[in-house]
Amino acid sequence: MKALIVDDEARVRKAVRLLVDWETHDIDDILEAGSGNEAIEIMREAKPALVIMDMMMESGSGIELMTWVNEFAGSAKFIVVSGHNDFDFVRQTVLHGGIDYILKPIEAEAINAAVGKAVAAWRSEEEDRRQRQKQSIRLNEFKPIYGEKLLSALIDDPLNAEASIRRLQAEGVIPGNTPTSQLILVQTDPGNNPLLKRFGGDSELMYYAIVNICNEFVQPSGKGIAFRYWGGPPEIAILLWDTRESVIELTGRMNQGMFHTLQFRMHFGISSRGRLPAELPSQRSEAAEALLHRNLLRHEDYCHYPGSPLHSAERKEKTASPIGSGPRPLFAHVQEDWRMAVISGSAEVMSAAAQNWIDELSRSGVVTPEMLNTWKSDVFLFRSRLVREVLGQEAEEMVARLEQDDRLHPAPYANGYSFSLFAWRDWSFALMQRLSQTLTAQTGKERHSMNEIVKYIEQNYPSDLSLQEVAGKFYVSREYVSRRFKQEYGINFSDYIVNIRIEKAKLLLENPHYKLSQIAEMVGFHDVKYFSKVFKKQTGSTPKDYRNQLNA
């Protein structure tokens, strides 16, 4: 078994090492971290069963670490060792499932008792998880898809809903005297890799296990039925016809069972009551809306209601967070910061821009999956615009390449089981870095191409150079050459060639032995009168006057 000691003071970490009787607790691998952020990195790799942590640290506080552990490493048990006898710290420890809160200076008896308690709890839950997973696998041998499809038809096939409910009542799935019902959607996250790993990557088995856990709490008492909804994206629905028990209490007990078995808590979108089966489609929309508009910053809220008015009984039991009164944050507020950060190429500036985005996003105290999806769309739109601004007509291929790269670096799932501002900050920082590196590499290639093109023009200016010829020589488009000359020199391609020819003509005019007709031919003008006209336009003097001024 592994344990991790987290404290920004080396002497405290050493004291914990000496005071705990690791051998008695069967802990043979003790790791250390000097900050919350360092601890998170270690936990991702080592996955310790026990974390002994400080509350006040300079880089990554104890509360941040507890939040991360609760969301992403729920099976780990943690003990807080702190020099602060602060009630709020103790409350946060209890809220996040901490085993104990021990004050410094540390006493050997207290910390060994806490470690023993934590190890016993971890082993008990680990054994229970093994047994429940075996049971879920055995249950998966028979999947009642037929019944699930009939239940799904109540929602998405209104024309045949009455026939479906009669069949379900005849088979005893739904009681015959059920005029009204309430629908609950259980939040599913197809991208939750840690949970999928528990089921060998089999998402169908994962959904089936969740349905079975829910049914343990509703079927034996005849309250309702949980089933896989087949009418759209992967969803698990719970149809309740007996709601004498508070929905908050019922889903709370379900979540306790989920956490005990899977080490994950689920979010529930809860509809108002309605006629069965007529109002089921609108009830499903209500429940889905509730999940889409839930406040992700309220980690302790798992029951979510739609914004529409609720029945009085439901109002009493509703505990969802209040909507913030501040203005809705917009990506436009940070867009210029992102633009300057990407163009700067500085990792420090991009990191600050990513953090500023997270601060702006959470400033009002409300972050919803809908907001995250909107912001994500705005981020991709900003990226496309910036690429087109920098690369012009050459941008389409680069935009397509970046969009393909997004599959390898997806954004965190906006409507998943858990939410982390840190994950969204890291994703936005990585996206900016990749965009900056892509633009830098591409503009570096372009600068190299332009140097080669200019060198070629300087060597071949006396010939009849055309835009098409130069573009073909370097395997680029005419538009690319034209655009780059405008960007680099502020003039078009033909004016650039004229400037070179006139400058070369000035040098040749210093030699009195060359006639004007010879000089015109040497710099690429086949008509001496046209040469004189262009020369005067560029310099304000005719070639003859310019030579006289040199000899004066």
Side-chain angles (χ1 to χ4, degrees):
M1 185 182 291
K2 295 178 184 177
L4 173 63
I5 306 170
V6 188
D7 199 296
D8 56 0
E9 295 185 56
R11 61 182 181 81
V12 175
R13 299 198 300 270
K14 184 177 180 181
V16 172
R17 272 186 175 271
L18 293 172
L19 290 170
V20 176
D21 186 353
W22 305 104
E23 187 174 349
T24 297
H25 303 297
D26 200 24
I27 297 172
D28 54 11
D29 193 356
I30 302 102
L31 309 168
E32 291 187 17
S35 69
N37 292 339
E38 184 184 355
I40 288 172
E41 295 303 318
I42 292 174
M43 291 188 71
R44 282 190 176 120
E45 295 294 326
K47 296 179 174 55
L50 172 65
V51 181
I52 302 173
M53 54 179 282
D54 190 14
M55 188 62 78
M56 299 292 289
M57 293 177 284
E58 290 186 5
S59 177
S61 70
I63 292 176
E64 291 174 343
L65 178 57
M66 284 191 294
T67 301
W68 188 90
V69 170
N70 202 29
E71 292 178 8
F72 298 103
S75 62
K77 300 300 174 185
F78 63 87
I79 300 165
V80 174
V81 176
S82 176
H84 300 268
N85 189 8
D86 187 300
F87 173 77
D88 188 56
F89 285 169
V90 176
R91 186 180 69 84
Q92 289 290 339
T93 302
V94 173
L95 180 65
H96 289 88
I99 295 295
D100 208 342
Y101 189 96
I102 299 172
L103 288 174
K104 299 175 183 177
I106 308 165
E107 295 181 358
E109 183 179 350
I111 194 160
N112 276 286
V115 170
K117 183 179 177 183
V119 169
W122 185 87
R123 285 176 176 156
S124 173
E125 291 178 10
E126 188 68 7
E127 178 59 28
D128 193 57
R129 282 192 292 273
R130 289 197 193 98
Q131 293 301 323
R132 283 180 175 269
Q133 189 163 345
K134 287 179 182 177
Q135 182 184 16
S136 294
I137 292 171
R138 286 196 298 269
L139 286 171
N140 193 54
E141 294 175 0
F142 175 71
K143 296 184 178 181
I145 293 176
Y146 170 74
E148 289 183 338
K149 290 197 172 181
L150 275 179
L151 287 162
S152 299
L154 296 179
I155 300 171
D156 55 31
D157 188 5
L159 294 177
N160 297 307
E162 291 293 345
S164 296
I165 199 167
R166 283 195 296 269
R167 293 173 70 178
L168 289 164
Q169 288 172 338
E171 293 176 14
V173 177
I174 297 177
N177 56 343
T178 309
T180 63
S181 65
Q182 193 166 13
L183 190 71
I184 300 173
L185 289 183
V186 184
Q187 179 60 60
T188 54
D189 181 354
N192 191 310
N193 292 327
L195 185 55
L196 270 175
K197 284 180 181 176
R198 295 179 182 271
F199 297 92
D202 187 342
S203 59
E204 293 299 317
L205 182 56
M206 178 185 75
Y207 292 133
Y208 188 69
I210 296 171
V211 167
N212 273 281
I213 293 170
C214 293
N215 273 324
E216 286 179 11
F217 295 91
V218 293
Q219 280 197 323
S221 54
K223 290 183 174 68
I225 186 168
F227 60 97
R228 172 80 179 274
Y229 172 60
W230 290 86
E235 286 182 348
I236 291 170
I238 304 171
L239 184 63
L240 291 180
W241 43 81
D242 180 354
T243 54
R244 284 174 291 183
E245 179 184 11
S246 160
V247 176
I248 297 293
E249 291 177 5
L250 174 61
T251 52
R253 291 194 298 112
M254 284 183 187
N255 243 348
Q256 195 62 30
M258 300 274 192
F259 187 78
H260 202 58
T261 306
L262 306 175
Q263 288 300 297
F264 280 94
R265 290 185 173 90
M266 308 296 172
H267 290 273
F268 300 88
I270 304 167
S271 78
S272 55
R273 286 193 68 81
R275 288 179 293 113
L276 180 69
E279 294 186 44
L280 275 176
S282 61
Q283 287 177 310
R284 183 198 163 274
S285 297
E286 281 185 4
E289 177 194 340
L291 289 173
L292 192 61
H293 293 92
R294 64 189 174 95
N295 186 359
L296 297 167
L297 297 179
R298 298 275 300 190
H299 298 286
E300 65 272 27
D301 289 345
Y302 294 98
C303 293
H304 310 280
Y305 290 83
S308 57
L310 305 172
H311 295 300
S312 57
E314 292 167 329
R315 286 196 193 100
K316 289 178 182 178
E317 66 181 24
K318 181 180 175 182
T319 60
S321 60
I323 300 299
S325 57
R328 180 175 179 139
L330 301 173
F331 180 71
H333 297 162
V334 299
Q335 181 171 296
E336 188 58 25
D337 283 350
W338 277 49
R339 182 179 179 278
M340 297 307 296
V342 170
I343 292 173
S344 75
S346 165
E348 184 177 350
V349 175
M350 285 185 278
S351 177
Q355 184 61 52
N356 186 37
W357 177 56
I358 293 302
D359 293 342
E360 181 70 24
L361 181 62
S362 59
R363 196 180 307 282
S364 67
V366 176
V367 177
T368 68
E370 181 191 42
M371 287 168 59
L372 287 174
N373 283 325
T374 299
W375 276 58
K376 186 168 66 172
S377 298
D378 289 344
V379 166
F380 290 138
L381 181 60
F382 153 80
R383 184 180 67 182
S384 297
R385 286 174 175 169
L386 183 58
V387 172
R388 290 184 175 94
E389 174 190 328
V390 175
L391 302 183
Q393 295 184 3
E394 306 295 320
E396 296 308 318
E397 182 182 348
M398 190 57 62
V399 170
R401 196 178 306 164
L402 287 167
E403 289 174 350
Q404 187 176 10
D405 192 44
D406 291 335
R407 298 190 188 99
L408 300 175
H409 308 279
Y413 187 50
N415 209 6
Y417 299 131
S418 57
F419 169 70
S420 168
L421 284 170
F422 306 119
W424 282 89
R425 179 198 61 195
D426 293 348
W427 170 77
S428 62
F429 171 64
L431 182 140
M432 278 191 276
Q433 271 197 317
R434 291 194 302 275
L435 176 57
S436 181
Q437 290 164 1
T438 298
L439 292 178
T440 299
Q442 188 64 23
T443 52
K445 283 184 192 175
E446 291 193 352
R447 281 194 292 271
H448 178 71
S449 297
M450 281 304 299
N451 289 338
E452 294 298 316
I453 289 171
V454 168
K455 184 177 178 181
Y456 178 78
I457 291 172
E458 289 178 346
Q459 291 173 347
N460 296 277
Y461 69 90
S463 63
D464 293 328
L465 288 176
S466 67
L467 184 60
Q468 184 64 51
E469 177 192 344
V470 171
K473 176 75 177 176
F474 291 92
Y475 304 101
V476 293
S477 67
R478 295 170 72 257
E479 292 76 15
Y480 167 79
V481 176
S482 179
R483 175 175 58 85
R484 293 301 294 157
F485 268 97
K486 278 284 188 183
Q487 289 177 342
E488 295 285 339
Y489 306 106
I491 57 177
N492 60 35
F493 172 80
S494 58
D495 287 341
Y496 184 83
I497 293 178
V498 167
N499 286 349
I500 289 182
R501 288 171 173 170
I502 296 304
E503 290 302 315
K504 298 296 184 182
K506 286 179 181 179
L507 294 174
L508 293 171
L509 285 168
E510 294 178 11
N511 188 333
H513 300 294
Y514 288 129
K515 295 178 181 180
L516 293 182
S517 59
Q518 291 176 307
I519 292 174
E521 190 70 32
M522 291 169 71
V523 298
F525 291 96
H526 305 302
D527 185 335
V528 70
K529 289 183 179 180
Y530 180 65
F531 165 61
S532 295
K533 181 181 177 180
V534 173
F535 191 94
K536 185 175 182 179
K537 183 180 178 181
Q538 292 289 105
T539 65
S541 303
T542 65
K544 184 177 180 181
D545 290 340
Y546 183 83
R547 174 175 272 176
N548 290 338
Q549 290 170 12
L550 290 174
N551 297 328

